[in-house]
Every structure is written in structure tokens, then in C-alpha cells.
Amino acid sequence: MSTGLSSEWLEFAKMDLGAAEYLLTMHPLPVEIICYHCEQAAEKFLKAALVQFDKEPPKTHDLVQLCKLCCEVNERFGQLADACIELTPYGVQVRYPSNLELDENDAACALKECRHVQNFICQELGYSLESNDDPGMEQTMK
């Protein structure tokens, strides 16, 4: 298993999640950018798992595809399927003008799903979590 390179993927994922959490302090709330960083973090968490499993991560933003690749090694990764389905559209659609209308609930959901991916993967890979969870997120967003 390639723990060194997977650690680098995890660090980059944590930076994306940290950026999303930091953006919660902005007014007006940049919902699209928060959702984008959540997708990016989840993507990197999944790619860290693939690297840990000695698999080359494909160049894709499709979290569902990445999740399926992880499931080939460990079927428990199927528990992330719903989170991947929820987050995948934020990888591309929110970066450009589109008809996708998002609000603060979408940002909260994206953060929740991203943290679920983070917690699951760090636990599966045996990495300790330096908790970035903000229990007061809902108050920050109001």
C-alpha cells in the first residue's frame, strides 16, 4: 500500500474542505464555491483511497466512478454512493453559469456529505481525523 502518496492526497482534500468551511464566514455566502470545494475534497479523499489500494486514480471528477473503483477493492465503500451522487454535480456545473440554482441548504448538505466521505475514508485507511467539523455551522450560515 502507498501510504506516502495517499497522505498527500488526504492533505489536499483537507485543504479543500477547510476552504469550504472558511467560506462559511463570507456574506453573501458563496454557495457555489462552497459546494465546489466539497466536491473537490471528496474527490481527493476517494483518490487517496485508490492510491492506498495501489490503484492509479483516473483523471475524472465523477465521484460515482471513483466510488465504484474503491468498491472493487473494498465493498464497504458502497456506503459512500449516495454522498458521491449528491456531490458529483458540484465538480463542474457550479464552476460556470448554468441553470443550477443553489441555496444555503445545498451548502450545508454538501459539507455534511463531504465530511461523511472524509470520516469514512480516514477510518477505513486508518488515518486519525484532525476534526475540522464545526458544530456551529448552522448558526454561521443563518
Side-chain angles (χ1 to χ4, degrees):
M1 291 191 173
S2 302
T3 56
L5 190 54
S6 65
S7 295
E8 291 179 36
W9 279 101
L10 289 173
E11 287 305 312
F12 273 85
K14 288 178 185 178
M15 284 191 277
D16 273 314
L17 181 54
E21 291 168 335
Y22 177 78
L23 292 171
L24 290 172
T25 63
M26 294 183 69
H27 297 285
L29 196 67
V31 173
E32 292 81 3
I33 306 305
I34 291 169
C35 291
Y36 170 71
H37 279 292
C38 289
E39 184 283 336
Q40 287 290 288
E43 180 181 323
K44 290 170 184 137
F45 284 122
L46 288 162
K47 288 180 178 182
L50 289 170
V51 168
Q52 182 90 10
F53 298 147
D54 289 324
K55 290 188 164 271
E56 181 72 25
K59 293 181 180 179
T60 182
H61 298 296
D62 185 345
L63 303 185
V64 175
Q65 178 188 1
L66 294 171
C67 185
K68 286 178 183 177
L69 291 171
C70 289
C71 284
E72 290 175 6
V73 177
N74 180 341
E75 64 185 30
R76 292 195 328 215
F77 274 77
Q79 296 174 39
L80 298 178
D82 289 342
C84 292
I85 290 167
E86 185 71 33
L87 291 168
T88 292
Y90 303 141
V92 178
Q93 290 179 356
V94 299
R95 292 172 34 201
Y96 306 102
S98 71
N99 292 334
L100 190 64
E101 292 186 27
L102 303 174
D103 60 26
E104 291 180 1
N105 291 328
D106 294 300
C109 180
L111 282 160
K112 177 181 160 249
E113 297 296 354
C114 184
R115 289 176 180 143
H116 172 61
V117 171
Q118 175 192 32
N119 293 338
F120 178 87
I121 289 178
C122 287
Q123 182 178 10
E124 286 296 311
L125 300 184
Y127 287 93
S128 64
L129 273 177
E130 297 162 3
S131 180
N132 290 332
D133 289 354
D134 178 5
M137 181 185 77
E138 287 76 21
Q139 287 87 18
T140 305
M141 295 180 64
K142 288 184 180 175

